[in-house]
Amino acid sequence: MSVTEMFSYIQGFLSADQDIREDIRKVVQVLEQTAREILTLLQSVHQPTGFKDIPSKCLKARELFCTVRNHTGELKTKFPAEQYYRYHEHWRFVLQRLAFLAAFVVYLETESLVTREEVAKILAIEVDREKGFHLDVEDYLAGVLILASELSRLAVNSVTAGDYGRPLRISNFINELDSGFRLLNLKNDPLRKRYDGLKYDVKKIEEVVYDLSIRGLAKELETVGE
Amino acid sequence: MSVTEMFSYIQGFLSADQDIREDIRKVVQVLEQTAREILTLLQSVHQPTGFKDIPSKCLKARELFCTVRNHTGELKTKFPAEQYYRYHEHWRFVLQRLAFLAAFVVYLETESLVTREEVAKILAIEVDREKGFHLDVEDYLAGVLILASELSRLAVNSVTAGDYGRPLRISNFINELDSGFRLLNLKNDPLRKRYDGLKYDVKKIEEVVYDLSIRGLAKELETVGE
Amino acid sequence: MSVTEMFSYIQGFLSADQDIREDIRKVVQVLEQTAREILTLLQSVHQPTGFKDIPSKCLKARELFCTVRNHTGELKTKFPAEQYYRYHEHWRFVLQRLAFLAAFVVYLETESLVTREEVAKILAIEVDREKGFHLDVEDYLAGVLILASELSRLAVNSVTAGDYGRPLRISNFINELDSGFRLLNLKNDPLRKRYDGLKYDVKKIEEVVYDLSIRGLAKELETVGE
Amino acid sequence: MSVTEMFSYIQGFLSADQDIREDIRKVVQVLEQTAREILTLLQSVHQPTGFKDIPSKCLKARELFCTVRNHTGELKTKFPAEQYYRYHEHWRFVLQRLAFLAAFVVYLETESLVTREEVAKILAIEVDREKGFHLDVEDYLAGVLILASELSRLAVNSVTAGDYGRPLRISNFINELDSGFRLLNLKNDPLRKRYDGLKYDVKKIEEVVYDLSIRGLAKELETVGE
Amino acid sequence: MSVTEMFSYIQGFLSADQDIREDIRKVVQVLEQTAREILTLLQSVHQPTGFKDIPSKCLKARELFCTVRNHTGELKTKFPAEQYYRYHEHWRFVLQRLAFLAAFVVYLETESLVTREEVAKILAIEVDREKGFHLDVEDYLAGVLILASELSRLAVNSVTAGDYGRPLRISNFINELDSGFRLLNLKNDPLRKRYDGLKYDVKKIEEVVYDLSIRGLAKELETVGE
Amino acid sequence: MSVTEMFSYIQGFLSADQDIREDIRKVVQVLEQTAREILTLLQSVHQPTGFKDIPSKCLKARELFCTVRNHTGELKTKFPAEQYYRYHEHWRFVLQRLAFLAAFVVYLETESLVTREEVAKILAIEVDREKGFHLDVEDYLAGVLILASELSRLAVNSVTAGDYGRPLRISNFINELDSGFRLLNLKNDPLRKRYDGLKYDVKKIEEVVYDLSIRGLAKELETVGE
Amino acid sequence: VGQKPEDCMNQDSAVIAAFKVFQQELDTKHDKYERLVKSSRDITIESKRTIFLLHRVTSVPDVEEILTEADVKLDSVRQKIGQIAEELRGEDLHQFHRAITPGIQEYVEAVSFHHFIRHRTLISLEEINARLVFMRENKAVDEVTCPGPCVLTFQITPTDYLLGVADLTGELMRMCISSVGNGDMDTPFLLGGFLREIHDGFSFIGNTGPYEVSKKLHTLRQSLGKVEDACYTLRVRGSEIPKHMLADVFSSRAAHLDPDDAMP
Amino acid sequence: VGQKPEDCMNQDSAVIAAFKVFQQELDTKHDKYERLVKSSRDITIESKRTIFLLHRVTSVPDVEEILTEADVKLDSVRQKIGQIAEELRGEDLHQFHRAITPGIQEYVEAVSFHHFIRHRTLISLEEINARLVFMRENKAVDEVTCPGPCVLTFQITPTDYLLGVADLTGELMRMCISSVGNGDMDTPFLLGGFLREIHDGFSFIGNTGPYEVSKKLHTLRQSLGKVEDACYTLRVRGSEIPKHMLADVFSSRAAHLDPDDAMP
Ligand SMILES: [Mn+2]
Ligand SMILES: [Mn+2]
């Protein structure tokens, strides 16, 4: 093979790679659009009036996740399955947002932590790398950390809306989460930074609970806490 | 045409361009000076005593905008209209500040969001690019985002000044703004960065409302929230 | 108009802009591809065997410029003519490369400096900004400076290929160019930096002429110099 | 004069200059040492126990300023007076620190803004450039801006130490400072950057006042604010 | 004096400074223009035909230096004499170029090194800082180093032009210069960097002399070398 | 030990360290001065007249090395012997220059490569780290590489001076050196860069030998080369 | 000219012989450097994991258990430092300092964090170095110089100590925020005071230290700010406790609050 | 609020159980990454030493001997790449790519240099990858999936290949200058042509490749310039040979100069 042929060959490879990236980018843009719609929908729970119809919002969000599944389905077809990490950067961000949104819906529905398996199912992707397009554990964790910060905001706003029980339940939930994260040895990467933020979420919620407690608004506390 | 002649001819071009830039810079400096005066005027609303005479401050600001209109009028004459984007960088910064100031005055007067048309009118420039020196949509949005951060500060200071109703109204206003921005698909540019700051303003204001609410200082809330 | 309506309307603006940029990027990519093909073609004159068939290479390059003209023709249709400078950054780089390639072809054909008019014609674009998609004077100059550095390389390689006359002609050409540039009052910008490189090209070619001259290989020199 | 003689003569110049710089560096080092001692002394006001004996700390700082005056006195003798700006970079940094420290002492003593004249007096240098080693206006301003950020920290820590009145006074002081700075037309230089930080200090202090005010801990506020 | 008054007063200082800088910039621009004209004039000695009428070129350059003297005269009036180093950066670059041009003219006229006194006289400025606007010794040296690199180019081109004696004389001149510089103890500054370039000029000229010598074209050498 | 005591202790260490560095810097400056004198002395061999009295120049250089030995003797006393590499950067540069100068003297005297042991002896320092202030092997090698580049210059200038035998001897010497260096595995560090320069020195000398050879000026070559 | 290849064949020339020695010397040094880099990376990772482990103390009841576990981990780090000491036996530490400094700084960070949690004081450089003394089986080769079991020490430099302590402040800040989140009312104030002492120490040193120290000052100042803010918040909200609830709150959640330290 | 410590003790909660799994997963990945970084460093060093060895060909008579020695060294590098392949068995190469890319690029540089010296052509990516096939003793564990001796391959990515080749040009330039210094008259022209081909190849790819490639283009262009200058000098001085000496010179030092290639 001559030098020219060699470079043509490589150039062919590079073009193919760029085409793949272009295709991925397009699907990811659509995914981001849908993610933004789900977010707007769920954000309304922070409004004083928003607390009333959480179940109906969750239902609507669940519907939008159907669309998400269509897109993730399309995304998988855009590149060879075993090269997931080659293109990871393209969808990492949106996948974290979607993991968060799935976790948020599940929390609003059941006040429990979504598992990695559940998120994968909601997004119609895999848990194990070997089985295909999957949810990286760090992306799942990042999504969970976004949830924590959303819940600290929810704790504040639920007090404004007159719901004094929710902060206490959020507090318990987030404390368990915090215990979980303490088990991890993180590198100095974006996930670590996000995890540092969790401490502030825990702190904020603790302050809300404190405010309720000194005003005698948290009578449930003792019972729940035990 | 000899090489020398051609280069002499080209030098003519370059000089003309440099002269235009020099002229623009001078007008922009004067605009910045006036913008700073309006800012100083409006900033005083953050003072405890400042809440009393907001209307008179707005009137004075409106007068200073007359001067602004003179300067923008002059600015337009400094370069061929169709080369707006060639020199955009020179006035982009001050135009965003002026858009903010216009938005601030309008908010203080009517507690509503200034439209792009209104800003353009206050600055005596156009909305449509085709019609002449105009307000770029990104610059308008940048101005609105500066307003959001000013309002989060105002919410804090109005509590200090004993005005407990204003934070709630600001909260509603900023939530609407936030929903609006969520409709936009922003690129990864300075505007996007500024927009990322909006969520901190939203959160700050929510916390002010929370503080009022848990202390029973926000009786209006129930009514407003419905 | 409600805030939501206004933001929807604004999103229309932003999408339109993003679509335009996407369209431009695609055409520019194709232009870059063609430019690279012309470059590969013309670069072969540096090969020892390349000096023989310069004319046929120029012919082939001229043909490729037809394709370029198709692309520039398409490019013009992608955005409103008066917003040239809004999107300038997208095509600035490739336009400078194309100006260089046009200048290189013309030099190889006639050993003279291409004028801005000629470059514009080869690329099927305008010289005057007012008339449509044009060749900015700075971009033309950048292209000419790339030519200078290519010619200093050519002077060296033509000696290697046994052509002792060419360096002398290149030397005269580049000296004229240097005088031309010295008429310009350049700002402290990328063009100025590039121009600072010109003196190294001048020196390099002078040393080639010196090497030939001291070995008596530059008999033409005396005649030319007079 | 032969070339050698001339260069020997020039070497005399260069040596003299290098000696001056060496001398200046030594005095500046000592000045920095003393400045650090004053800083360590004054920083202890942030300790919960530190608020008690501010007066005695100010006294001690005043004593250390005697040492400073000795050093500045020495510094002046190290170079010809009219070459102040030739060597400015050497002491610029420490002079800004000292201006800050002087401003801090004066603030702690009288809660008022030190004037440039006072700083000059404390450092035993001049205000007017014509009269000798002086305090450049930009260096004075830099020192004042460092004070602002120190005071925002002090506001926080005085609350921790149980002093609820101080933040309100600091707030008024810093607002006045902010208005003052808004009168200035700063270039895009380090001072401008520092000034951009002032608005964060203002905001921080406003939030402290807010926290006190909403909890009814700021009774003085009403009186002061009128 | 209130804070506001003080800051107004300070703004006066800042404006005055900015005005001075603006004035200086304008004069310096004109100086640069004239310097470029002198350079174009003197550059032509590198042309094969340029060696003939060096004297007439020097005369013309001397005339242009009259214009330079007018500008330097104007420059001096733009700022207080004792603040030379405050604004030094503005004219440092052009002054070095002018020192080089003066040194080049003098070399072409007499083949000797211009002294600092002569340069100062040609530019109608002072040698001693105490006497007014002066030529800093570092700027003089920078100009001399630019000359060295110009002469290495001249050595090359004089051979091309058939003048075999000049390189030998340049070689002696530059060796003397090199010895001179070796007497200096330079700091690690831009001047030191430029000086490091001198050894390349020395080497280049030695190689020219070598080329002449090995070809028996340097008969004068023996006599000169003794 | 309290925190304050701990920091005082560390500060004590840092001050001591700085004092040591200051002391070292002073001695190194004097060493550099002497090195420059030796260089000026030896540089004169490049002059056409310089070839005559090489022995006397070597003698003078040897005398100056006495002074060097005094300084190195002083240098050793300035820091604890086992902390050589802690302060290495301070004298690394001058030690390489001195190694070069020693190598140059020895070459001029005997046309052989100075050994590391000899250099150490000339500078009155050690070869083995364990024995005290020593000559790092990389510094020795750097010095040898400076010699190579000096010799390539000498080859050129000896032809100019009419000495046609020396280039051939230099060629043999440098080729052996080159073979030696090829045995080393260098890191991507300054030494590697310098070593890359050796190839150009070898090339330059080869060109001189070639020039002599094609002109029949290198009759000795055959004999010497065998 | 054509003979060069032959010249170079002169493999037994003095020059070639000398360069063979240099080759070996340089390769040996380079290999050693590389081994040290690897050890340093191992030390960094293990120290970081120890720090993560130590952060768990704010959320578990048995602090002692974690401290012991961390000490075991640190022991294994010390073993690795022992390997470095072995590698550097008879060498000039500073020649290889760049290879090991990241790991050593991280160890300082971990060990000083451990020490703070146990003793609430700043570990001194001496205390750290005192634990870096290693007993080694003697190799037959240097039996002469060192009879019996050989003692090997590793001396951390003051600068590495300083840089490790600078990083420690980040961990202390994290611990402080966690404490607030866990309803611990006195640790934040304690940490605030300690961090302020370290901050004042660094500003006392100022720019006389090495450049790397100055670079970390900004982060240090930010950490201090976060801790001071946390203390401020605790104090402000503590001011609001309604009189009738005071007893309750104190008994239920701030029982161990030290009035001397916490109340101004 | 005070109960939190107890909550956290709920060590057998589902959440805690899940996080224990995550902990193990993350630590395993991190450890693997670290082992790969170490392998990559080893590969880099050994490849660099091979390159140094190969440069000796311009000054010794027996090129073959050096080539063989270099091949032995490269074999040991390949063994190390085999270890990496083992480590990555069943993994996604790109997940750990950043850990190994420096070493792999250096190997490409070394192996393509070796190939050029022997064959005077550019080694293809296929040829490189063809030598990265390893036989492995089977572990009992995956006997099912891979019966008999298991074949393990490592696929260098086109980008790493490209980056290695870009670095190769620097070595070719060094070789060219050395050749001139050693009086070799045809290698420089050969190298000039080869380097020009590679240069044209890279400019054909232009900015469509990854950013790291574009970054190396400047150096590549400089190397080409140096080689072209060297060829130019050889040609210019060759033009000066006095007629009467021509025969001598040709016989003594340029005997193997190929007139077709060298004369225009
Ligand atoms: Mn850390
Ligand atoms: Mn390499």
Side-chain angles (χ1 to χ4, degrees), chain E residues 13-26:
Chain E
F13 267 87
L14 296 177
S15 300
D17 180 67
Q18 282 166 14
D19 291 349
I20 287 176
R21 288 180 194 273
E22 191 56 37
D23 284 359
I24 291 173
R25 251 194 295 272
K26 275 180 204 153

Side-chain angles (χ1 to χ4, degrees), chain B residues 1-11 13-15 17-18 21 80 82-87 113-117 127-130 134 136-138 140-141 144 173 176-177 179-181 183-187 191, chain C residues 1-11 13-15 17-18 21 80 82-87 113-117 127-130 134 136-138 140-141 144 176-177 179-187 191:
Chain B
M1 187 159 60
S2 78
V3 170
T4 307
E5 281 166 350
M6 191 173 74
F7 274 88
S8 296
Y9 182 71
I10 285 176
Q11 171 56 20
F13 267 86
L14 296 177
S15 303
D17 180 66
Q18 282 165 14
R21 289 180 194 274
E82 81 280 9
Q83 297 190 37
Y84 182 90
Y85 287 108
R86 176 168 187 152
Y87 303 110
L113 177 63
V114 76
T115 61
R116 188 151 69 108
E117 284 71 22
V127 170
D128 294 329
R129 197 187 49 243
E130 293 82 6
H134 73 287
D136 211 58
V137 70
E138 270 109 348
Y140 165 71
L141 293 173
V144 169
F173 178 80
E176 206 175 0
L177 214 59
S179 306
F181 268 100
L183 293 173
L184 304 183
N185 184 13
L186 299 172
K187 286 175 302 178
L191 190 61
Chain C
M1 188 158 58
S2 77
V3 169
T4 306
E5 280 167 350
M6 190 173 75
F7 274 88
S8 296
Y9 182 72
I10 285 177
Q11 171 56 20
F13 267 87
L14 295 177
S15 301
D17 181 66
Q18 282 166 14
R21 289 180 193 272
E82 82 280 8
Q83 297 190 36
Y84 182 91
Y85 287 107
R86 175 168 186 153
Y87 303 111
L113 177 62
V114 75
T115 60
R116 187 151 68 109
E117 284 72 20
V127 170
D128 293 329
R129 197 186 47 244
E130 293 82 5
H134 72 288
D136 211 58
V137 71
E138 269 109 348
Y140 165 71
L141 293 173
V144 169
E176 207 175 359
L177 214 58
S179 307
F181 269 99
R182 230 176 292 113
L183 293 172
L184 305 183
N185 183 13
L186 300 172
K187 285 174 302 176
L191 192 60

Side-chain angles (χ1 to χ4, degrees), chain F residues 1 6 9-11 13 18 82 84-86 116 129 138 140 175-176 179-180 183 185 187 206 209, chain G residues 1 4 7-8 13 19 22-23 25 27 29-30 90-92 94-95 124-126 158 161 201 208:
Chain F
M1 187 152 53
M6 191 65 223
Y9 167 78
I10 302 276
Q11 167 65 24
F13 165 84
Q18 285 203 338
E82 79 281 6
Y84 182 90
Y85 285 105
R86 173 168 190 156
R116 183 153 60 132
R129 189 181 58 73
E138 298 186 37
Y140 163 72
N175 274 316
E176 195 173 9
S179 302
L183 293 174
N185 296 312
K187 282 180 301 177
E206 207 279 335
V209 172
Chain G
V1 186
K4 268 161 214 161
D7 297 347
C8 307
S13 85
F19 273 81
F22 301 151
Q23 179 191 41
E25 203 172 324
D27 286 355
K29 193 177 84 180
H30 195 180
E91 299 281 356
D92 182 339
H94 297 93
Q95 188 171 13
S124 74
L125 180 53
E126 278 70 20
Y161 170 75
T208 60

Side-chain angles (χ1 to χ4, degrees), chain G residues 106 109 167 171 174:
Chain G
E106 203 71 35
E109 186 179 344
D167 286 342
E171 304 304 335
R174 290 190 176 99

Side-chain angles (χ1 to χ4, degrees), chain H residues 36-55:
Chain H
L36 289 168
V37 165
K38 285 180 183 164
S39 298
S40 170
R41 289 186 75 107
D42 289 341
I43 291 172
T44 301
I45 291 172
E46 198 61 14
S47 299
K48 270 193 198 301
R49 288 192 180 164
T50 310
I51 291 169
F52 273 107
L53 173 64
L54 285 168
H55 272 298

Side-chain angles (χ1 to χ4, degrees), chain G residues 33-208:
Chain G
Y33 189 92
E34 202 54 30
R35 285 193 302 274
L36 289 169
V37 166
K38 286 178 184 166
S39 299
S40 170
R41 290 186 75 107
D42 288 341
I43 291 171
T44 301
I45 291 172
E46 197 62 13
S47 298
K48 270 194 198 300
R49 289 191 180 165
T50 311
I51 291 169
F52 273 106
L53 173 64
L54 286 168
H55 273 297
R56 283 169 216 155
V57 294
T58 46
S59 68
V60 299
D62 192 358
V63 170
E64 200 51 46
E65 190 180 309
I66 285 189
L67 285 174
T68 310
E69 193 184 335
D71 217 18
V72 172
K73 271 177 179 290
L74 288 175
D75 269 333
S76 95
V77 174
R78 282 187 280 269
Q79 285 320 306
K80 291 220 171 68
I81 296 179
Q83 284 168 27
I84 287 183
E86 187 76 58
E87 196 72 80
L88 291 179
R89 191 203 288 263
E91 299 281 356
D92 182 339
L93 163 75
H94 297 93
Q95 188 171 13
F96 300 98
H97 187 235
R98 269 195 16 189
I100 57 171
T101 182
I104 296 301
Q105 288 177 30
E106 203 71 35
Y107 171 69
V108 170
E109 186 179 344
V111 82
S112 60
F113 193 32
H114 184 265
H115 181 96
F116 173 78
I117 293 168
R118 175 159 278 156
H119 305 289
R120 308 271 139 168
T121 60
L122 180 62
I123 195 171
S124 74
L125 180 53
E126 278 70 20
E127 287 170 280
I128 294 180
N129 281 334
R131 297 205 61 177
L132 300 178
V133 176
F134 310 96
M135 292 308 199
R136 277 289 177 278
E137 288 306 306
N138 231 333
K139 284 167 190 160
V141 191
D142 36 17
E143 204 148 349
V144 194
T145 55
C146 168
C150 180
V151 171
L152 204 59
T153 62
F154 184 88
Q155 295 281 312
I156 288 176
T157 66
T159 301
D160 282 342
Y161 170 75
L162 215 49
L163 291 166
V165 171
D167 286 342
L168 166 69
T169 58
E171 304 304 335
L172 294 176
M173 179 276 288
R174 290 190 176 99
M175 191 182 185
C176 171
I177 306 301
S178 284
S179 307
V180 177
N182 283 279
D184 177 350
M185 304 284 275
D186 68 347
T187 303
F189 290 99
L190 193 101
L191 279 165
F194 184 60
L195 213 54
R196 213 179 272 122
E197 276 186 276
I198 295 184
H199 169 262
D200 291 357
F202 273 103
S203 61
F204 173 68
I205 284 181
N207 57 0
T208 60

